[in-house]
Amino acid sequence: MSSRVLAVLIGGCLVAVSHRGWADDQRYGDLPLGGRAVAFGGAFTALANDPSGLYYNPAGIVDVRRNAIQVSTNFYGIEVQGGIADAFGAVVDVERVASSLDLLPATAAGLEVWQQDPETELPTTVFGVGTFIPSSSSEERSVVDTLEEAERFPGCARLAYERSLSDRRFLAGGGIGHRLNRRWSVGFSAFVQYRSLRDREEILCSDEEGGLDGPAFSTADTRVSVDVFSLRMSFGALARFEDGWRFGAMLVAPSVPLRGTGGLRVRRTRALPATGRTEFVLSDLENIGAETQDGLSLRIGGSKSWDDPEATVSFDIAFYAPTFYDLVQLPTGQERLEQLVTLLTRVRREPVLDFALGGEIRPETNWVLGAGFFTRFSSAPGIPDREGFEEDRLARADEFGLTLLGGWFTTHNITRLGLALTYRAGADVVPRYAGLAAVGGRNRYVRADVEAAALWVFVSNTTRY
């Protein structure tokens, strides 16, 4: 591949890893990424005819007519949240508007035509390399609350809770597409996937102002770090028909672990001057086992194109098999620490079907409009509608998204600019007082509604030469 391609890819990679974004471990489907794919809401399996096809279906990359480089990103997000804050009391507003300069899904990829049919001038073999950030998340939460009289105990009347989370995924690799004949093509891609997770929860409880006998306090701190490398391989096929129909499929194999290291730090302190009792527990484990698993997934899509005016509609159906894994593995003899860890480290995800639908129209030679719809259903188990729970559970919130893009064509460039909107709603199970059990109390888990909407700007540029 030429030095120009490599320079752009390296530059895009450096930009991508220097910002933060948003996602979580409760949904399989990623937010749409790439260039043209975003205009279709991610319904790109039957098209895949630009550099982001390495991610959606490598069998489609043989439909590029020239070498191409693509860099795209989502760079500004506004999120409005509500519902879940009710579980932590009136000190947190029910609705909050948060604005930040965030990089969400990002792409830096390039394609190069290796072989071309001299008669039809259609590429027969196309190779590509790329880097993708399909999902990431950052969260900061802080709560200060005063316990009700019935909930207080020595060392705890006023509670402070803090949570900090950073979870990022990064893909780097390449793929190849080969045209078997005018109708059929196949493709293969392989990416090294890196996941970096940093999660911290800190709880401080004191009765200094709570009216109990003498000042006292309790603290709990849990920190989890995970760095996991795995291999992601996909196999694609695509069929074209003369009436404008195209059908594609991509099978993603279960991820192959390459290397995983983790860290776990648990700290507990307690001081009760009235009784003379003190307690200090500290366990700091480094270089322990860590894991992230992606199960089998299958994407099937179809598209239909017309010539006058030039227009395309496309749809995707994606199936994700269930996965089960522990983020960190405690060494032999340290199993008791599992009772002290306040963060959820055991991931159990159910099978999910997701859908995407989009359309594009090109009324003029040099510009195009596109719009798409997609789903990101939760893979977490359902949460019954009842008053209380004995243990914590993963949130279950389904997400729906819309995209609206415009594109401008020149001889060598395609630039797309647009907006994307997501709305998610569901439920979570959270303690009435965050982290109370970690400092010696008893959590009362309650069901809380989850509702949030996010809006961001999308921009991409594809250079053809």
Side-chain angles (χ1 to χ4, degrees), residues 243-245 303-314 360:
D243 58 358
W245 279 101
S303 70
K304 169 67 173 176
S305 298
W306 295 267
D307 294 330
D308 189 19
E310 188 174 338
T312 302
V313 296
S314 182
E360 184 182 75

Side-chain angles (χ1 to χ4, degrees), residues 15 19-22 31-32 38 72-80 97-106 136 402 404 417-422 453-460:
V15 171
H19 294 74
R20 62 193 181 100
W22 178 87
L31 293 168
V38 179
S72 67
T73 183
N74 303 270
F75 63 90
Y76 189 78
I78 298 176
E79 184 172 2
V80 180
V97 177
S99 178
S100 58
L101 185 64
D102 278 348
L103 191 74
L104 287 94
S136 61
L402 295 172
L404 179 63
L417 178 67
L419 298 174
L421 171 70
T422 61
L455 176 70
W456 65 88
V457 175
F458 169 86
V459 63
S460 76

Side-chain angles (χ1 to χ4, degrees), residues 349-418:
R349 307 174 73 183
E350 296 182 340
V352 168
L353 273 178
D354 275 329
F355 308 90
L357 174 67
E360 184 182 75
I361 186 169
R362 190 173 177 178
E364 299 290 342
T365 303
N366 61 344
W367 62 279
V368 65
L369 294 175
F373 168 81
F374 61 92
T375 67
R376 299 175 71 219
F377 292 120
S378 176
S379 63
I383 299 176
D385 188 6
R386 63 173 188 256
E387 293 185 358
F389 299 84
E390 295 299 322
E391 60 183 12
D392 199 0
R393 298 182 179 215
L394 287 175
R396 183 179 176 89
D398 296 324
E399 187 170 272
F400 305 88
L402 295 172
T403 59
L404 179 63
L405 274 74
W408 293 265
F409 290 75
T410 64
T411 303
H412 296 288
N413 285 277
I414 305 174
T415 301
R416 287 182 169 87
L417 178 67

Side-chain angles (χ1 to χ4, degrees), residues 64-374:
V64 298
R65 293 302 182 98
R66 291 178 287 176
N67 299 337
I69 301 172
Q70 182 181 88
V71 177
S72 67
T73 183
N74 303 270
F75 63 90
Y76 189 78
I78 298 176
E79 184 172 2
V80 180
Q81 298 176 328
I84 192 172
D86 293 336
F88 295 103
V91 294
V92 182
D93 294 335
V94 174
E95 293 187 354
R96 180 174 79 251
V97 177
S99 178
S100 58
L101 185 64
D102 278 348
L103 191 74
L104 287 94
T107 303
L111 299 177
E112 188 162 295
V113 178
W114 271 9
Q115 294 180 347
Q116 193 170 24
D117 190 312
E119 296 182 2
T120 64
E121 296 185 351
L122 294 175
T124 55
T125 304
V126 176
F127 170 78
V129 297
T131 60
F132 300 88
I133 298 181
S135 65
S136 61
S137 66
S138 296
E139 178 186 348
E140 299 286 343
R141 193 194 324 169
S142 179
V143 177
V144 177
D145 207 352
T146 299
L147 276 64
E148 298 176 358
E149 290 288 344
E151 299 290 339
R152 298 181 184 182
F153 58 92
C156 195
R158 186 165 174 79
L159 186 76
Y161 176 88
E162 292 186 1
R163 175 78 179 275
S164 175
L165 170 69
S166 173
D167 189 359
R168 297 178 174 86
R169 294 173 186 259
F170 177 79
L171 297 176
I176 188 170
H178 180 70
R179 188 184 304 272
L180 301 176
N181 49 49
R182 293 186 66 90
R183 175 168 294 181
W184 288 97
S185 64
V186 294
F188 169 78
S189 65
F191 292 91
V192 174
Q193 178 176 251
Y194 167 60
R195 182 183 186 186
S196 173
L197 172 67
R198 301 293 182 268
D199 201 356
R200 180 188 179 188
E201 188 175 56
E202 185 174 10
I203 307 104
L204 170 64
C205 206
S206 172
D207 68 10
E208 185 174 357
E209 300 176 3
L212 298 180
D213 185 17
F217 69 89
S218 302
T219 68
D221 182 89
T222 299
R223 304 185 188 189
V224 174
S225 63
V226 170
D227 293 282
V228 176
F229 291 86
S230 58
L231 180 63
R232 178 184 188 268
M233 294 182 292
S234 62
F235 308 85
L238 198 148
R240 307 157 187 81
F241 297 88
E242 294 180 358
D243 58 358
W245 279 101
R246 297 163 61 102
F247 295 94
M250 185 180 72
L251 179 70
V252 180
S255 60
V256 179
L258 297 178
R259 183 176 183 271
T261 60
L264 175 64
R265 179 178 179 181
V266 177
R267 184 184 65 188
R268 300 288 182 271
T269 62
R270 181 179 300 179
L272 302 175
T275 62
R277 179 184 175 186
T278 60
E279 180 182 7
F280 180 81
V281 177
L282 174 63
S283 181
D284 195 356
L285 303 178
E286 298 180 352
N287 298 319
I288 60 177
E291 186 178 16
T292 291
Q293 289 186 1
D294 295 322
L296 180 79
S297 66
L298 175 65
R299 296 178 67 98
I300 299 175
S303 70
K304 169 67 173 176
S305 298
W306 295 267
D307 294 330
D308 189 19
E310 188 174 338
T312 302
V313 296
S314 182
F315 68 89
D316 268 16
I317 300 174
F319 168 75
Y320 301 93
T323 59
F324 311 95
Y325 61 91
D326 294 330
L327 285 172
V328 292
Q329 290 88 46
L330 296 177
T332 303
Q334 298 287 344
E335 290 81 1
R336 67 180 184 86
L337 286 179
E338 189 172 353
Q339 305 300 321
L340 300 177
V341 175
T342 60
L343 299 169
L344 281 175
T345 60
R346 182 162 294 173
V347 179
R348 299 292 182 266
R349 307 174 73 183
E350 296 182 340
V352 168
L353 273 178
D354 275 329
F355 308 90
L357 174 67
E360 184 182 75
I361 186 169
R362 190 173 177 178
E364 299 290 342
T365 303
N366 61 344
W367 62 279
V368 65
L369 294 175
F373 168 81
F374 61 92

